[in-house]
Amino acid sequence: MNIKFFGHNCFLLEGKKVSLLSDPWLSERGAFFGSWFQWPINHHCKKLLRDKLSKNENNYLYISHEHQDHFDKETLSYIKPYIKSCIIPEYYDSFLYDEIISLGYNVIVIPDKTKHYFNDKDYIELMIVDTGVNHDSTAIVHIEDETFVNQNDCKIFDRLVYLENIRVD
């Protein structure tokens, strides 16, 4: 698996059969009414990201939660032609699902601790926190016999023992 970091919480995980992009936030305008900005500045990476995505037909997008520093509509609109499907957690509230659908994406909704296979070996599994106003998820990504855990903002400290028991297929 090749891992490319694009800033904040945006990773592109590339394998021979599949690529997964997480939480791309490459907007010049920042987030939360322009009160948050990426550091280091990364909006110049949009073309590089698009060029990398254009080389693969099996690109998936993972959005961990609806906060603007993880769910940037500007970046999502820009990369949409290169994404096969968008993977999101199964939250009680349909806000994130509705927003992704409104952008024209094909959406795959994954329940807590459920694997979604991209092919016979590569998969993503989510650990979800969905209590009150706190919606977030951790992605466990298995590509080409390597595992990448993207916890981002997700508060799963009481569930970390689960990660110790992950059985890699």
Side-chain angles (χ1 to χ4, degrees):
M1 173 178 12
N2 183 41
I3 301 170
K4 174 76 175 154
F5 178 61
F6 283 92
H8 195 59
N9 200 51
C10 180
F11 293 92
L12 179 61
L13 311 174
E14 297 176 292
K16 291 179 183 132
K17 296 181 180 179
V18 67
S19 293
L20 179 73
L21 177 67
S22 68
D23 292 345
W25 178 36
L26 303 163
S27 169
E28 279 186 71
R29 294 179 302 187
F32 306 110
F33 304 105
S35 64
W36 284 26
F37 289 90
Q38 308 89 325
W39 187 257
I41 296 168
N42 68 350
H43 56 265
H44 63 282
C45 295
K46 282 168 73 170
K47 184 180 179 320
L48 173 63
L49 176 59
R50 185 194 65 207
D51 291 348
K52 285 184 114 359
L53 292 172
S54 70
K55 294 176 184 171
N56 190 339
E57 294 179 4
N58 260 342
N59 296 311
Y60 290 84
L61 171 66
Y62 159 64
I63 301 296
S64 62
H65 62 292
E66 71 276 4
H67 291 164
Q68 294 171 356
D69 59 326
H70 297 262
F71 172 62
D72 177 44
K73 289 183 180 182
E74 179 184 312
T75 304
L76 297 181
S77 295
Y78 182 76
I79 63 169
K80 184 189 172 298
Y82 310 99
I83 302 296
K84 187 173 188 173
S85 294
C86 180
I87 296 167
I88 63 170
E90 183 180 59
Y91 291 131
Y92 295 118
D93 185 315
S94 69
F95 176 81
L96 182 59
Y97 175 84
D98 295 341
E99 290 292 307
I100 297 284
I101 288 289
S102 76
L103 293 173
Y105 277 90
N106 178 49
V107 179
I108 299 169
V109 180
I110 302 179
D112 187 54
K113 294 195 283 187
T114 302
K115 292 178 182 174
H116 172 79
Y117 282 85
F118 302 113
N119 52 53
D120 58 336
K121 289 185 79 172
D122 304 325
Y123 65 83
I124 183 172
E125 179 179 4
L126 302 182
M127 292 180 68
I128 302 170
V129 173
D130 193 8
T131 56
V133 296
N134 187 19
H135 310 282
D136 209 341
S137 62
T138 292
I140 303 158
V141 182
H142 183 78
I143 295 177
E144 294 183 357
D145 297 322
E146 294 186 69
T147 301
F148 180 87
V149 177
N150 182 350
Q151 187 179 351
N152 66 74
D153 300 337
C154 191
K155 315 258 185 310
I156 58 165
F157 309 116
D158 60 331
R159 301 173 74 193
L160 288 177
V161 70
Y162 179 76
L163 296 177
E164 293 175 7
N165 298 319
I166 292 175
R167 185 174 153 249
V168 179
D169 297 340

Coordinates of all heavy atoms in Angstrom, one line a residue, residues 21-62:
L21 N -9.5 7.4 -0.6 CA -9.2 8.8 -0.2 C -10.0 9.1 1.0 O -11.2 8.9 1.1 CB -9.5 9.8 -1.3 CG -9.3 11.3 -1.0 CD1 -7.9 11.6 -0.9 CD2 -9.9 12.1 -2.2
S22 N -9.4 9.7 2.1 CA -10.1 10.1 3.3 C -10.2 11.6 3.5 O -9.2 12.3 3.3 CB -9.5 9.4 4.5 OG -8.2 9.9 4.8
D23 N -11.4 12.1 3.9 CA -11.6 13.4 4.4 C -10.8 14.5 3.7 O -10.1 15.3 4.3 CB -11.3 13.5 5.9 CG -12.3 12.7 6.7 OD1 -13.4 12.3 6.2 OD2 -12.0 12.4 7.9
P24 N -11.0 14.7 2.3 CA -10.2 15.7 1.6 C -10.7 17.1 2.0 O -11.9 17.4 1.8 CB -10.4 15.3 0.2 CG -11.7 14.6 0.1 CD -11.8 13.9 1.4
W25 N -9.8 17.9 2.5 CA -10.1 19.4 2.7 C -9.0 20.2 2.1 O -8.0 20.4 2.7 CB -10.2 19.6 4.3 CG -10.5 21.0 4.7 CD1 -11.3 21.9 4.1 CD2 -10.0 21.6 5.9 NE1 -11.3 23.1 4.8 CE2 -10.5 22.9 5.9 CE3 -9.1 21.2 6.9 CZ2 -10.2 23.8 6.9 CZ3 -8.9 22.1 7.9 CH2 -9.4 23.4 7.9
L26 N -9.3 20.6 0.9 CA -8.2 21.4 0.2 C -8.8 22.7 -0.3 O -8.3 23.3 -1.3 CB -7.8 20.5 -1.0 CG -7.3 19.1 -0.7 CD1 -7.2 18.2 -1.9 CD2 -5.9 19.2 -0.1
S27 N -9.7 23.3 0.4 CA -10.3 24.6 0.1 C -9.4 25.8 0.6 O -8.9 25.7 1.7 CB -11.7 24.6 0.7 OG -12.2 25.9 0.6
E28 N -9.4 26.8 -0.2 CA -8.7 28.0 0.2 C -9.5 28.8 1.2 O -9.0 29.6 1.9 CB -8.5 28.9 -1.0 CG -7.3 28.6 -1.9 CD -7.1 29.6 -3.0 OE1 -6.6 30.8 -2.6 OE2 -7.3 29.3 -4.1
R29 N -10.8 28.6 1.2 CA -11.7 29.4 2.1 C -11.7 28.9 3.5 O -12.3 29.5 4.4 CB -13.1 29.3 1.5 CG -13.2 30.0 0.2 CD -14.6 30.0 -0.3 NE -15.0 28.5 -0.5 CZ -16.0 28.1 -1.0 NH1 -16.9 28.9 -1.5 NH2 -16.3 26.8 -1.1
G30 N -11.1 27.8 3.8 CA -11.1 27.3 5.2 C -12.4 26.7 5.5 O -13.2 26.4 4.7
A31 N -12.7 26.6 6.8 CA -13.9 25.9 7.3 C -14.5 26.7 8.4 O -13.8 27.6 9.0 CB -13.6 24.5 7.8
F32 N -15.7 26.4 8.8 CA -16.4 27.1 9.9 C -16.3 28.6 9.8 O -15.8 29.3 10.6 CB -15.8 26.6 11.3 CG -15.8 25.1 11.5 CD1 -14.6 24.4 11.5 CD2 -16.9 24.4 11.6 CE1 -14.6 23.0 11.6 CE2 -16.9 23.1 11.8 CZ -15.8 22.4 11.8
F33 N -17.0 29.0 8.7 CA -17.1 30.5 8.3 C -15.7 31.1 8.2 O -15.5 32.3 8.6 CB -17.9 31.2 9.4 CG -19.3 30.6 9.5 CD1 -19.6 29.9 10.6 CD2 -20.3 30.8 8.5 CE1 -20.9 29.3 10.8 CE2 -21.5 30.2 8.6 CZ -21.8 29.5 9.8
G34 N -14.7 30.4 7.7 CA -13.4 30.9 7.5 C -12.6 31.1 8.7 O -11.6 31.9 8.7
S35 N -13.0 30.5 9.8 CA -12.2 30.6 11.1 C -11.2 29.5 11.3 O -10.3 29.7 12.1 CB -13.2 30.6 12.3 OG -13.8 29.3 12.4
W36 N -11.2 28.5 10.5 CA -10.2 27.4 10.5 C -9.5 27.3 9.2 O -10.2 27.3 8.1 CB -10.8 26.1 10.8 CG -11.2 25.8 12.2 CD1 -11.6 26.7 13.2 CD2 -11.4 24.5 12.8 NE1 -12.0 26.1 14.3 CE2 -11.8 24.7 14.1 CE3 -11.2 23.2 12.4 CZ2 -12.1 23.7 15.0 CZ3 -11.4 22.2 13.3 CH2 -11.9 22.4 14.6
F37 N -8.2 27.2 9.2 CA -7.5 26.9 7.9 C -6.4 25.8 8.2 O -5.9 25.6 9.3 CB -6.7 28.2 7.5 CG -7.7 29.3 7.0 CD1 -8.3 30.2 7.9 CD2 -8.0 29.3 5.7 CE1 -9.1 31.1 7.4 CE2 -8.9 30.2 5.2 CZ -9.5 31.2 6.1
Q38 N -6.1 25.1 7.1 CA -5.1 24.1 7.1 C -3.7 24.7 7.3 O -3.4 25.7 6.8 CB -5.1 23.3 5.8 CG -6.5 22.8 5.4 CD -7.2 23.8 4.5 OE1 -7.1 25.0 4.6 NE2 -8.0 23.2 3.5
W39 N -2.9 24.0 8.1 CA -1.5 24.3 8.2 C -0.7 23.0 8.2 O -1.0 22.2 9.1 CB -1.2 25.1 9.4 CG 0.2 25.6 9.4 CD1 1.3 25.1 10.1 CD2 0.8 26.6 8.5 NE1 2.4 25.7 9.8 CE2 2.2 26.6 8.8 CE3 0.3 27.4 7.5 CZ2 3.0 27.4 8.1 CZ3 1.2 28.2 6.9 CH2 2.5 28.3 7.2
P40 N 0.2 22.8 7.3 CA 0.6 23.7 6.3 C -0.5 23.8 5.2 O -1.4 23.0 5.1 CB 1.8 23.1 5.7 CG 1.7 21.6 6.1 CD 0.9 21.5 7.3
I41 N -0.5 25.0 4.5 CA -1.5 25.3 3.5 C -1.4 24.1 2.5 O -0.3 23.7 2.0 CB -1.2 26.6 2.9 CG1 -1.3 27.7 3.9 CG2 -2.0 26.9 1.6 CD1 -0.8 29.1 3.5
N42 N -2.6 23.7 2.0 CA -2.6 22.5 1.1 C -3.5 22.7 -0.1 O -3.6 21.8 -0.9 CB -3.0 21.2 1.9 CG -4.4 21.2 2.3 OD1 -5.1 22.3 2.3 ND2 -4.9 20.1 2.8
H43 N -4.1 23.8 -0.3 CA -5.1 24.0 -1.4 C -4.4 23.8 -2.8 O -5.0 23.5 -3.7 CB -5.9 25.3 -1.3 CG -5.1 26.5 -1.2 ND1 -4.8 27.1 0.0 CD2 -4.5 27.2 -2.2 CE1 -4.0 28.2 -0.3 NE2 -3.9 28.3 -1.6
H44 N -3.1 24.1 -2.8 CA -2.4 23.9 -4.1 C -2.2 22.4 -4.5 O -1.8 22.1 -5.6 CB -0.9 24.5 -3.9 CG -0.1 23.8 -2.9 ND1 -0.3 24.1 -1.6 CD2 0.9 22.9 -3.0 CE1 0.6 23.3 -0.9 NE2 1.3 22.6 -1.7
C45 N -2.6 21.5 -3.6 CA -2.5 20.0 -3.8 C -3.7 19.5 -4.6 O -3.7 18.3 -5.0 CB -2.4 19.3 -2.5 SG -0.9 19.6 -1.6
K46 N -4.7 20.3 -4.9 CA -5.9 19.8 -5.6 C -5.6 19.2 -6.9 O -6.1 18.1 -7.2 CB -7.0 20.9 -5.7 CG -7.7 21.2 -4.5 CD -8.5 22.5 -4.5 CE -9.7 22.4 -5.4 NZ -10.6 23.6 -5.2
K47 N -4.8 19.9 -7.7 CA -4.5 19.3 -9.0 C -3.7 18.0 -8.9 O -3.9 17.1 -9.6 CB -3.7 20.3 -9.8 CG -3.4 19.9 -11.3 CD -2.6 20.9 -12.1 CE -2.3 20.5 -13.5 NZ -2.0 19.1 -13.7
L48 N -2.7 18.0 -8.0 CA -2.0 16.7 -7.8 C -2.9 15.6 -7.4 O -2.8 14.5 -7.9 CB -0.9 16.9 -6.7 CG -0.1 15.7 -6.2 CD1 0.7 15.1 -7.4 CD2 0.8 16.0 -5.1
L49 N -3.8 15.9 -6.5 CA -4.8 14.8 -6.1 C -5.6 14.4 -7.2 O -5.8 13.2 -7.5 CB -5.7 15.3 -4.9 CG -6.8 14.4 -4.5 CD1 -6.2 13.1 -4.0 CD2 -7.7 15.1 -3.4
R50 N -6.1 15.3 -8.0 CA -7.0 15.0 -9.2 C -6.1 14.1 -10.2 O -6.6 13.1 -10.7 CB -7.4 16.2 -9.9 CG -8.4 15.9 -11.0 CD -8.6 17.1 -11.9 NE -7.4 17.4 -12.6 CZ -7.0 18.6 -13.0 NH1 -7.9 19.6 -12.8 NH2 -5.9 18.9 -13.6
D51 N -4.9 14.5 -10.4 CA -4.0 13.7 -11.3 C -3.8 12.3 -10.8 O -3.8 11.4 -11.6 CB -2.7 14.4 -11.5 CG -2.8 15.8 -12.3 OD1 -3.9 16.0 -12.9 OD2 -1.9 16.5 -12.3
K52 N -3.6 12.1 -9.5 CA -3.4 10.8 -9.0 C -4.7 10.0 -9.1 O -4.7 8.8 -9.5 CB -3.0 10.9 -7.5 CG -1.5 11.3 -7.3 CD -1.1 11.2 -5.9 CE -0.1 10.3 -5.5 NZ 0.5 9.3 -6.4
L53 N -5.8 10.6 -8.8 CA -7.1 9.9 -8.9 C -7.4 9.5 -10.4 O -8.1 8.5 -10.6 CB -8.2 10.7 -8.3 CG -8.2 11.0 -6.8 CD1 -9.3 12.0 -6.4 CD2 -8.4 9.7 -6.1
S54 N -7.0 10.3 -11.3 CA -7.4 10.1 -12.7 C -6.7 8.9 -13.3 O -7.1 8.4 -14.3 CB -7.1 11.3 -13.6 OG -5.7 11.5 -13.7
K55 N -5.7 8.3 -12.6 CA -4.9 7.2 -13.1 C -5.6 5.9 -12.6 O -5.0 4.8 -13.0 CB -3.5 7.3 -12.6 CG -2.8 8.4 -13.2 CD -1.4 8.5 -12.6 CE -0.7 9.8 -13.2 NZ 0.5 10.1 -12.6
N56 N -6.6 5.9 -11.9 CA -7.2 4.7 -11.3 C -8.7 4.7 -11.5 O -9.4 5.8 -11.3 CB -6.9 4.6 -9.8 CG -7.2 3.2 -9.2 OD1 -8.0 2.5 -9.8 ND2 -6.6 2.9 -8.1
E57 N -9.3 3.6 -11.8 CA -10.8 3.5 -12.0 C -11.5 3.1 -10.7 O -12.7 3.2 -10.6 CB -11.2 2.6 -13.1 CG -10.7 3.1 -14.5 CD -11.1 2.1 -15.6 OE1 -11.8 1.1 -15.3 OE2 -10.7 2.4 -16.7
N58 N -10.7 2.6 -9.7 CA -11.3 2.0 -8.5 C -11.0 2.9 -7.3 O -10.4 2.5 -6.3 CB -10.8 0.6 -8.3 CG -11.8 -0.4 -8.7 OD1 -12.9 -0.1 -8.8 ND2 -11.3 -1.6 -8.8
N59 N -11.4 4.2 -7.4 CA -11.1 5.1 -6.3 C -12.4 5.2 -5.5 O -13.5 5.4 -6.0 CB -10.8 6.5 -6.8 CG -9.6 6.6 -7.6 OD1 -8.5 6.1 -7.2 ND2 -9.6 7.2 -8.8
Y60 N -12.2 5.1 -4.2 CA -13.3 5.3 -3.2 C -13.0 6.4 -2.3 O -11.8 6.8 -2.1 CB -13.5 4.0 -2.4 CG -14.1 2.8 -3.1 CD1 -13.2 2.0 -3.9 CD2 -15.4 2.6 -3.1 CE1 -13.7 1.0 -4.6 CE2 -15.9 1.5 -3.9 CZ -15.1 0.7 -4.6 OH -15.6 -0.3 -5.3
L61 N -14.0 7.0 -1.8 CA -13.9 8.2 -0.9 C -14.5 7.8 0.4 O -15.5 7.2 0.5 CB -14.6 9.4 -1.5 CG -14.8 10.6 -0.6 CD1 -13.5 11.3 -0.3 CD2 -15.8 11.6 -1.3
Y62 N -13.8 8.1 1.5 CA -14.3 7.9 2.9 C -14.4 9.2 3.6 O -13.5 10.0 3.6 CB -13.4 7.0 3.7 CG -13.5 7.0 5.2 CD1 -14.7 6.7 5.8 CD2 -12.5 7.5 6.0 CE1 -14.8 6.7 7.2 CE2 -12.6 7.6 7.3 CZ -13.7 7.2 7.9 OH -13.9 7.3 9.3

